[in-house]
Amino acid sequence: MTAAVAERSRVLAALDTVRDPELDEPITTLGFVSTCVVSAAGDVVVRLRLPTYFCAPNFAFLMVADAYDVVAALPEVRSADVALEDHFASTEINAGVAARAGFAVSFAGEALGELDELRRTFLSKAVLAGTDQVCRPLVAAGLDPAALATMTIGDAPPSAQLERLCRRRAELGLRTDPAAPLLVDPGTGAPITGAEVSLHLARARTSRVGIEANTGICRGMLRHRYGTTGAGEEEDEG
Amino acid sequence: MYEKNGEKYFVVDTHMHYWNAAEDNWVEGAEQYAKGWIECFYGYHGLGPDDTRWTLEKYKKYSEDDLMSDVFDKGHVDVAIFQPTDLAEWYKEGFNTTERDAILFEKYPDKFVLNTRWDPREGEDGLKTLRHNVERYGCKGVKLYTAEWRQGSRGWKLSDPEAYKYLEACQELGIKNIHAHKGPTIWPLDKDAFDMTDIDHAATDFPELNFIVEHSGIPRIDDFCYLATQEPNVYAGLSVVVGGLMHSRPRFFARCMGELLFWVGEDKMTFGSDYAIWEPKWQVEGFVDWDFPDDEQYADYPRLGVDGKKKILGLNAAKLYGLEVPEEYQLGYGKPAAQDDAKLVTQ
């Protein structure tokens, strides 16, 4: 393996940590990374693509900025050129990211503020969806849903879904210690108790459906638009 | 109409278009948006079955004959409702204007319902146009596209005071049905891009109007479901839900349908093909044949039977628009009356 090849896999591994905030999945596995080239000297060129010309620019900005940050932070990288292609706002987005300007600066007069709130909104949905992923198998195995109200994270059997849920909770600043309640309001961190449980579980299920249906549409459109596999793209279950 | 297994379905396509996105209709200097828009639509087109695909060339501008054949001759549709979208900043004569749709409406008045549109940023002039359109075409509904660009502004909300003036005018003019596009959106940039609280406000303040949320809020179907459960006059428009998911993602389609049936219910869901994004034929046939996959993960959801499908495919929309439905398409036609129908018979 040459140094450049090894470096490319490190860059791709870094890009694996960048998620589409709404779909809650890495941009690599979604197929959004069309190009990832690393020179022997450590100059990196990454090109991103999206399912449509009109994908929401706020999400696009977050992904391009996050991709730039993780690539530029790699020790062996000398320069990072990260840009979005084929998008109605790519000029503003790419210029803003390259200049390390925030979103509001890049879209002066058109955006009311930075995107932290947007991130939080969708992280909350990801926590709800993750709650469904963790709780559904337990209920399917015979657990009374009401019993979930008194369970802690430590009571839930270890699984990849539980780890993922804890990571999302941590990003929102919610407790993830073994004694933390399993069911919490993602906005406030308050435990869900008693009569609230069934509505909370229904919402968790609906959030998961929303994210997965949306992912399905995005993947279908990306495939129709480009017909090529992105760097690190993985098939979903369809 | 569509008949299957002895059941007759009255089909109202509540969401379709007669657009012109041909290159000679692109506004100079905005070509990239005009091109991007129709190619974005074409991306959605790709989610339909392979054998229903058109070329991009035909897709940009299809003929009257194409539409009449696809929608009525082959597509099983009894009545089709035009939902205009102007996009005048990108298309010289507009993309799919009230006037363009009116060409077909005036030629085939028994086949079409013509909705119009408004934009609160057009002020008094817009109100005049709205009155004129209602007088001329008898519009009973409007299509609202809150993400439309206009003179540097890139969107508006139903809860804006200017929008309330128009909603008041709708009530006064006899417009009952407000079709709001709350689906894939391009603008504004901040959190408003996926926010539906403006519909919530308007639905509460205008209880006599019906708010049909087109595309059921996809990609934010969860937000839509919570809103629809709180407001009795909010409906789920299934355009894009059926066309975009039923064929391409059957499992997700089943779950979206399940969620809508769970939160919104079959009495408040309306079918729309979104023609020419997709043809109605495969959507109507597929929907009549559709059922939940036999799998535990769908156990939470209410089932959808023949009557529910009849409501969604046409009867609900016929009620909203006061359309006459022949007797043999009504629920329960030709079946023994249920006991509760015999109101005057004492047990």
Side-chain angles (χ1 to χ4, degrees):
Chain A
M1 196 191 256
T2 67
V5 171
E7 188 54 27
R8 182 175 187 268
S9 56
R10 270 196 290 278
V11 170
L12 278 175
L15 291 172
D16 279 336
T17 66
V18 177
R19 300 194 306 267
D20 178 307
E22 179 160 29
L23 306 182
D24 196 38
E25 194 181 321
I27 56 173
T28 46
T29 59
L30 284 165
F32 294 174
V33 181
S34 55
T35 312
C36 176
V37 181
V38 183
S39 77
D43 299 310
V44 179
V45 175
V46 172
R47 290 292 172 264
L48 302 178
R49 62 184 191 182
L50 291 171
T52 76
Y53 184 73
F54 281 114
C55 284
N58 43 9
F59 295 96
F61 190 95
L62 281 172
M63 288 185 269
V64 182
D66 289 354
Y68 178 89
D69 288 347
V70 297
V71 173
L74 291 169
E76 300 83 357
V77 168
R78 189 175 69 173
S79 71
D81 170 6
V82 178
L84 171 66
E85 292 177 325
D86 309 332
H87 187 275
F88 83 96
S90 45
T91 307
E92 294 91 332
I93 289 171
N94 295 336
V97 169
R100 313 303 308 276
F103 183 70
V105 171
S106 307
F107 290 90
E110 293 175 3
L112 291 180
E114 287 310 314
L115 302 175
D116 300 348
E117 191 53 40
L118 185 81
R119 245 193 245 272
R120 285 191 68 84
T121 299
F122 285 93
L123 268 171
S124 295
K125 291 187 182 216
V127 165
L128 278 172
T131 302
D132 183 81
Q133 288 177 323
V134 169
C135 296
R136 181 166 295 272
L138 301 179
V139 174
L143 182 76
D144 176 5
L148 289 164
T150 56
M151 281 176 68
T152 63
I153 286 178
D155 294 333
S159 67
Q161 287 76 14
L162 183 68
E163 281 173 36
R164 178 178 164 130
L165 172 62
C166 287
R167 284 199 300 274
R168 301 293 179 269
R169 280 174 62 151
E171 282 186 68
L172 277 175
L174 301 169
R175 282 177 58 192
T176 57
D177 56 286
L182 181 62
L183 300 186
V184 293
D185 179 314
T188 63
I192 304 292
T193 53
E196 297 170 340
V197 170
S198 65
L199 182 63
H200 184 77
L201 291 178
R203 287 193 162 214
R205 182 199 72 213
T206 308
S207 296
R208 183 176 169 189
V209 170
I211 290 171
E212 290 179 354
N214 194 6
T215 305
I217 285 182
C218 289
R219 282 177 169 276
M221 293 182 77
L222 188 81
R223 198 169 303 133
H224 183 64
R225 190 180 189 195
Y226 290 105
T228 56
T229 306
E233 183 173 354
E234 288 172 14
E235 283 293 317
D236 67 335
E237 48 187 330
Chain B
M1 58 90 58
Y2 182 60
E3 190 167 345
K4 182 87 188 262
N5 300 332
E7 297 287 354
K8 290 182 170 169
Y9 298 82
F10 185 80
V11 180
V12 181
D13 188 343
T14 63
H15 195 105
M16 42 80 66
H17 313 285
Y18 182 41
W19 69 58
N20 174 11
E23 284 171 45
D24 59 13
N25 192 28
W26 296 359
V27 168
E28 211 170 315
E31 292 91 346
Q32 74 273 32
Y33 300 127
K35 177 175 186 284
W37 176 264
I38 194 63
E39 286 182 359
C40 179
F41 268 32
Y42 195 59
Y44 278 93
H45 183 61
L47 300 174
D50 287 355
D51 60 355
T52 65
R53 301 264 173 92
W54 296 4
T55 63
L56 180 57
E57 212 44 44
K58 176 183 173 184
Y59 198 76
K60 284 178 184 164
K61 190 180 183 181
Y62 46 95
S63 69
E64 172 184 331
D65 289 347
D66 289 329
L67 184 150
M68 297 310 289
S69 161
D70 291 337
V71 174
F72 299 103
D73 302 343
K74 296 186 212 146
H76 312 297
V77 173
D78 293 284
V79 179
I81 302 178
F82 278 126
Q83 303 285 7
T85 310
D86 274 21
L87 303 177
E89 298 234 326
W90 303 343
Y91 297 100
K92 287 180 205 164
E93 60 164 52
F95 176 66
N96 166 57
T97 57
T98 307
E99 292 72 25
R100 184 174 166 83
D101 292 344
I103 298 168
L104 298 191
F105 167 72
E106 293 190 313
K107 205 166 164 182
Y108 309 99
D110 57 334
K111 295 273 192 202
F112 293 105
V113 168
L114 177 61
N115 282 359
T116 185
R117 40 75 64 197
W118 48 256
D119 183 324
R121 296 166 300 185
E122 290 167 10
E124 285 303 320
D125 289 351
L127 281 166
K128 269 192 211 129
T129 306
L130 176 65
R131 286 177 206 284
H132 167 81
N133 285 343
V134 172
E135 255 165 58
R136 183 167 172 191
Y137 307 120
C139 303
K140 292 272 183 293
V142 289
K143 169 77 188 288
L144 304 181
Y145 196 74
T146 56
E148 178 142 7
W149 296 11
R150 189 172 187 274
Q151 299 168 2
S153 150
R154 296 193 165 169
W156 55 277
K157 292 156 103 170
L158 271 84
S159 50
D160 293 341
E162 297 78 17
Y164 267 42
K165 279 187 203 156
Y166 278 79
L167 290 168
E168 283 157 11
C170 283
Q171 274 190 316
E172 174 201 326
L173 296 167
I175 288 178
K176 280 268 176 248
N177 302 310
I178 311 293
H179 294 255
H181 174 108
K182 279 284 172 178
T185 177
I186 51 180
W187 221 269
L189 293 169
D190 52 36
K191 63 181 180 177
D192 296 338
F194 55 85
D195 190 43
M196 294 185 213
T197 47
D198 60 333
I199 298 215
D200 210 345
H201 288 294
T204 302
D205 291 341
F206 293 90
E208 291 163 44
L209 299 176
N210 305 306
F211 292 82
I212 300 97
V213 178
E214 291 300 340
H215 324 315
S216 307
I218 277 187
R220 309 207 171 56
I221 196 170
D222 47 342
D223 294 348
F224 167 72
C225 286
Y226 309 147
L227 157 70
T229 50
Q230 291 167 23
E231 305 290 345
N233 53 335
V234 168
Y235 288 72
L238 294 188
S239 52
V240 176
V241 181
V242 176
L245 287 168
M246 188 173 70
H247 167 77
S248 70
R249 301 272 154 171
R251 285 189 321 101
F252 295 138
F253 174 69
R255 295 176 63 183
C256 283
M257 281 303 296
E259 293 298 336
L260 292 169
L261 291 164
F262 179 91
W263 295 101
V264 186
E266 63 187 35
D267 293 334
K268 294 209 300 171
M269 294 160 69
T270 54
F271 168 73
S273 71
D274 228 328
Y275 184 83
I277 296 186
W278 304 283
E279 295 170 13
K281 181 182 192 301
W282 66 267
Q283 298 187 63
V284 172
E285 293 173 5
F287 189 70
V288 166
D289 290 344
W290 179 80
D291 196 0
F292 284 104
D294 186 17
D295 186 319
E296 189 54 36
Q297 67 170 310
Y298 305 102
D300 290 3
Y301 300 132
R303 301 293 104 175
L304 181 64
V306 168
D307 283 1
K309 289 175 184 173
K310 287 183 180 180
K311 290 182 206 169
I312 292 170
L313 280 173
L315 300 181
N316 291 342
K319 261 191 208 150
L320 291 174
Y321 279 88
L323 304 172
E324 208 167 310
V325 179
E327 206 182 342
E328 68 266 31
Y329 296 100
Q330 306 278 10
L331 292 189
Y333 176 77
K335 297 191 175 59
Q339 285 210 326
D340 59 356
D341 290 344
K343 290 190 178 64
L344 301 174
V345 180
T346 48
Q347 298 279 323

